[in-house]
Amino acid sequence: MASFRPLHDAPDRSYADKLERFGRFAAPELKRIFEGLGLAPGVRVLDVGCGVGVSTGILAEVAGDGAQVVGLDLSLPHLRNATAGPKVALVQADAAALCFRDRSFDLIWSCNTVHHLADPVAALRAMQPALRAGGRIVLAQSGLLPEMYFAWDAPLDDAVRRACHESYRARYGLASANIASVRGLVGLLQGAGMRVESVHTGAIERVQPLSAADRAYFAETVFAGYWDERMTPYLEEPYRSALRRNVDPSSRDYCLDRDDFHHVQTMTVCAGSA
Ligand SMILES: C[S@@+](CC[C@H](N)C(=O)[O-])C[C@H]1O[C@@H](n2cnc3c(N)ncnc32)[C@H](O)[C@@H]1O
């Protein structure tokens, strides 16, 4: 029987393009985060919810020769589109029911994924036997704090964020409390009986000149992929028109062509040990 998945993930569901663009966009920050994990030579790492494996590939590069890095995802299309490189092994499985021998990994990394699980605490508990002595589970989540896209128009940022949340809740039939629960990384690890070793929130921040990866992420993943027609019913005037002007490349007000474009979003990394 298929398990309940709050964000409708499934073995045949794909949002590979979005994941690829996020990975390329956030690559510099992800690399710094992985470098800060103090990975020992020969480390064994599992990336749970690896998506198309962009960050798994970066993880493997940072872990170096001799490391073993495995990416796991529920979605076959994500794995088929994976660009993690030859050093990474990929496994299709449900994060709620891992399929590894006990004491297989020194580190389980999971970014932007645990809130996709019906019972993240139970899943984190079930993952712990796969850790070797002294092993860690490190959860990462972007966007726990409000993001800034329109540095010159705070009310527009607020209105877009609210509309985005409302449309997301409507799409998945979620209550506000379900969305807020994504913020509870510390509590999830504690609930699973782990000791929180560290927690740190850093910024992903961009100004001009934007790279091709930045522009692709903003224009295609965020503007076209999230701020699409499903969101507009939740956005009133004058914000609806203001948003359109800001995200339309043919408009004089296209935000990605403004000299004062300044984007900030957060990435929180929380490490727990058994
Ligand atoms: C938002 S994406 C994050 C991908 C990647 N970690 C990143 O940061 O870009 C969530 C990923 O978790 C996967 N996923 C969702 N539910 C899952 C489950 N029950 N077991 C394994 N993977 C799951 C999805 O297929 C998707 O690739």
Side-chain angles (χ1 to χ4, degrees), residues 158-178:
D158 291 343
V160 170
R161 186 180 316 116
R162 255 194 323 272
C164 214
H165 284 182
E166 278 185 53
S167 116
Y168 189 80
R169 284 203 302 268
R171 194 178 329 155
Y172 294 111
L174 298 170
S176 303
N178 299 124

Side-chain angles (χ1 to χ4, degrees), residues 9 15 19 22 49 51 73-75 78 93-95 111-113 116-117:
D9 290 280
Y15 37 97
L19 298 179
F22 176 76
D73 206 278
L74 181 70
S75 161
H78 291 177
D94 191 326
C111 180
N112 290 347
T113 294
H116 288 246
L117 308 178

